[in-house]
């Protein structure tokens, strides 16, 4: 792919990320995405086949970034949760897009391989650490992973009314709460 084509594709992904984060899959408009990317609708269909294909590309790209930037450390799940929290703070669109994905794609059976493979690898790493006695086995490995993931995203997935109640907590204090909650889960 030429540099210009790759630049156009990247601009479309970035514009789509903002559009999908704000409006979801159903509410997103390819006209707005094309305009924000300084491109046209035909380019969206050329690179991604459809609006759904564009969403899948955005979601896949977002997941690859997260997996690459925040590898699991099964021997230190509290710090892993803290690094996931940091990732959500740097990229606030992640939780919004993931929420739209759950709302609009749940039950479709269209599972993204990067997410499935990543989760399976994380579960294996946790199960291995449990088998070696590094982690407690109170929760099955898959359940423990789910708890860690949800605790890491706790602060970025609340309703505005709860956010207003806890607005006085600094980013460092919120991160520490995630780390401490995962540590307590493991004690």
């Amino acid at each position: 792919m030429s540099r210009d084509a790759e630049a156009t594709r990247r601009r479309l992904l970035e514009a789509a990320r903002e559009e999908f984060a704000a409006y979801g899959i159903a509410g997103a408009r390819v006209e707005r995405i094309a305009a924000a990317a300084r491109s046209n609708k035909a380019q969206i269909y050329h690179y991604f086949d459809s609006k759904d294909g564009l969403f899948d590309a955005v979601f896949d790209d977002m997941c690859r970034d997260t997996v690459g930037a925040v590898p699991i450390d099964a021997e230190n799940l509290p710090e892993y949760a803290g690094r996931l929290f940091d990732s959500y703070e740097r990229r606030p669109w992640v939780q919004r897009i993931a929420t739209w994905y759950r709302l609009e794609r749940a039950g479709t059976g269209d599972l993204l391989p990067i997410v499935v493979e990543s989760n399976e690898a994380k579960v294996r790493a946790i199960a291995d650490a449990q088998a070696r006695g590094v982690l407690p086995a109170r929760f099955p490995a898959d359940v423990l992973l789910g708890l860690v993931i949800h605790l890491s995203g706790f602060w970025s997935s609340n309703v505005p009314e709860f956010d207003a109640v806890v607005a006085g907590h600094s980013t460092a204090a919120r991160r520490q709460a995630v780390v401490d909650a995962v540590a307590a889960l493991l004690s």
Side-chain angles (χ1 to χ4, degrees):
M1 186 179 297
S2 76
R3 209 164 43 139
D4 287 344
E6 183 54 36
T8 299
R9 186 179 186 286
R10 176 59 37 202
R11 283 195 320 272
L12 287 167
L13 284 170
E14 289 171 5
R17 181 189 73 207
E18 297 304 315
E19 180 79 5
F20 289 128
Y23 301 104
I25 303 167
R29 297 291 174 256
V30 292
E31 297 84 2
R32 287 192 301 243
I33 295 168
R38 300 179 322 278
S39 187
N40 59 59
K41 290 185 341 184
Q43 291 297 317
I44 292 172
Y45 297 108
H46 170 74
Y47 290 114
F48 307 103
D49 295 327
S50 65
K51 182 170 70 167
D52 283 338
L54 178 56
F55 180 84
D56 290 345
V58 167
F59 198 81
D60 185 80
D61 193 52
M62 180 184 81
C63 292
R64 288 181 190 282
D65 285 349
T66 302
V67 168
V70 190
I72 191 165
D73 180 357
E75 299 203 8
N76 191 350
L77 287 179
E79 186 52 33
Y80 169 67
R83 288 184 293 112
L84 274 175
F85 167 86
D86 295 339
S87 174
Y88 298 146
E89 285 291 303
R90 282 189 308 276
R91 302 174 316 139
W93 62 87
V94 169
Q95 289 287 24
R96 291 184 59 85
I97 290 175
T99 298
W100 286 115
Y101 181 78
R102 285 189 303 274
L103 289 171
E104 297 187 55
R105 290 282 179 85
T108 64
D110 295 332
L111 303 178
L112 294 174
I114 182 66
V115 179
V116 172
E117 292 162 12
S118 171
N119 286 333
E120 288 173 347
K122 290 172 188 172
V123 168
R124 284 191 305 273
I126 290 171
D128 178 63
Q130 288 174 321
R132 291 183 289 115
V134 175
L135 290 175
R138 178 172 34 168
F139 298 104
D142 56 347
V143 173
L144 183 55
L145 174 63
L147 291 168
V148 169
I149 289 170
H150 284 282
L151 284 169
S152 69
F154 167 73
W155 295 101
S156 57
S157 61
N158 291 313
V159 296
E161 293 79 6
F162 185 76
D163 286 342
V165 171
V166 296
H169 296 276
S170 69
T171 300
R174 289 181 290 146
R175 183 189 199 278
Q176 193 60 52
V178 167
V179 170
D180 291 348
V182 173
L185 186 66
L186 299 173
S187 63

